[in-house]
Amino acid sequence: MALIKFLGTAGARFVVAKQLRYSAGTVIKSKNATLILDPGPGTLLRLASARPKIPIETVNGVILTHIHLDHSTDANIIIDSITEGGLKKSGVLFTTDEALNSENRVILPFLKPYLEGIFTLKHKGIFEFKDIKFTSFKHNHTAETYGIRFEIDEKTVSFVVDTLFFNELLDYYKDSDYLILNVVRLSEKEGVMHLSISDVEKFIKYSNPKKVIMTHFGMTMLRANPEKVAESLSNKYGIEVIAAYDGLTVEF
């Protein structure tokens, strides 16, 4: 059995700063691997307080899609914890060159030797770790950012993380069994490089997902009630659309 667990569903700085939703990352678990995607503020705490708990010693690594703090703040403490402060060379990291090497790097250099492997994401890069395979796709965002299309247990699980919508996204994530979209905005706003509900509708109409899960909500989405928005989309298009909540676990 594999699963996705949303430790947090906050998006945008105000929701994160006020902790109106938790800002922790997402657990991707297969039969043989447990990875944390985008460990934002509070991820370590939410692993320990999850029901059931997710022991840090069971975590094998981190996928960090970009440097923004709501995605990266706990990356270093997760790495330090799974390697027991460097006493045990363990775990892998998949992230951007910007996160590793730029003046805005967020991965502390002293931690790098602790890891068994560090892999740099790139456009249409193909990666494999234990029984998890995935492809990374470059997004259009204010930092170097990659979405992830996983192949886990014969299912396609796609994470369309922060990005301005562009048509090629529809092909990158086509025919996903689970299409997970970071939907910060209820409606588009000029200059904001995030997805909105009109973009969700484009994915539903043109990418043929089996199931859609929205997450990473900003204030306009919270005010609109994500569950009601999801229900409306489900009724309109005849496809299951779910609004993720903190702690949601999806098994497959």
Side-chain angles (χ1 to χ4, degrees):
M1 182 189 72
L3 64 81
I4 311 157
K5 188 174 185 67
F6 296 86
L7 299 176
T9 56
R13 61 180 62 88
F14 187 82
V15 177
V16 173
K18 297 291 186 179
Q19 287 292 283
L20 302 177
R21 294 278 184 110
Y22 294 144
S23 50
T26 303
V27 176
I28 316 295
K29 182 175 175 56
S30 65
K31 182 179 179 180
N32 298 319
T34 301
L35 299 173
I36 307 297
L37 178 77
D38 285 350
T43 299
L44 192 65
L45 172 62
R46 295 303 157 197
L47 287 170
S49 60
R51 297 183 180 180
K53 292 182 180 180
I54 303 171
I56 191 63
E57 60 268 20
T58 68
V59 175
N60 304 119
V62 171
I63 300 176
L64 176 58
T65 66
H66 63 291
I67 64 171
H68 289 163
L69 295 178
D70 55 332
H71 295 255
S72 68
T73 302
D74 269 20
N76 290 302
I77 190 60
I78 295 294
I79 292 170
D80 191 68
S81 297
I82 64 178
T83 63
E84 298 179 8
L87 295 177
K88 180 179 70 175
K89 195 174 184 72
S90 178
V92 293
L93 170 66
F94 301 89
T95 192
T96 66
D97 181 71
E98 183 176 31
L100 290 168
N101 300 312
S102 77
E103 64 179 4
N104 292 321
R105 65 180 180 268
V106 295
I107 300 301
L108 296 173
F110 81 87
L111 293 171
K112 293 179 181 180
Y114 296 0
L115 291 160
E116 288 183 303
I118 299 175
F119 304 92
T120 305
L121 299 175
K122 59 183 179 179
H123 184 50
K124 296 185 179 180
I126 298 173
F127 303 90
E128 187 170 349
F129 178 68
K130 297 184 184 294
D131 56 347
I132 295 178
K133 298 179 181 179
F134 68 89
T135 304
S136 55
F137 295 100
K138 197 171 194 307
H139 284 190
N140 185 2
H141 196 41
T142 55
E144 182 187 7
T145 303
Y146 296 88
I148 306 293
R149 181 185 175 107
F150 290 99
E151 303 296 333
I152 307 172
D153 200 19
E154 300 184 352
K155 297 290 186 182
T156 299
V157 181
S158 296
F159 282 81
V160 186
V161 301
D162 296 354
T163 186
L164 183 69
F165 180 85
F166 56 99
N167 286 331
E168 288 82 358
L169 291 171
L170 301 175
D171 289 327
Y172 297 162
Y173 304 107
K174 192 174 180 63
D175 299 323
S176 297
D177 293 291
Y178 297 89
L179 181 65
I180 299 160
L181 302 169
N182 280 13
V183 187
V184 171
R185 298 274 314 168
L186 181 65
S187 57
E188 295 179 32
K189 183 178 180 179
E190 186 175 355
V192 176
M193 302 181 77
H194 286 285
L195 299 179
S196 64
I197 292 301
S198 64
D199 300 318
V200 176
E201 294 185 274
K202 294 171 190 174
F203 279 103
I204 292 172
K205 289 188 284 188
Y206 302 117
S207 287
N208 191 39
K210 305 296 188 300
K211 183 178 294 188
V212 173
I213 303 174
M214 301 186 298
T215 187
H216 205 62
F217 303 122
M219 278 305 304
T220 59
M221 280 296 294
L222 291 188
R223 291 191 185 108
N225 189 329
E227 290 76 17
K228 289 185 177 179
V229 175
E231 182 181 8
S232 176
L233 290 170
S234 295
N235 293 336
K236 182 176 181 179
Y237 292 104
I239 180 176
E240 187 176 8
V241 180
I242 298 171
Y245 54 84
D246 297 344
L248 172 65
T249 300
V250 178
E251 299 179 348
F252 55 93

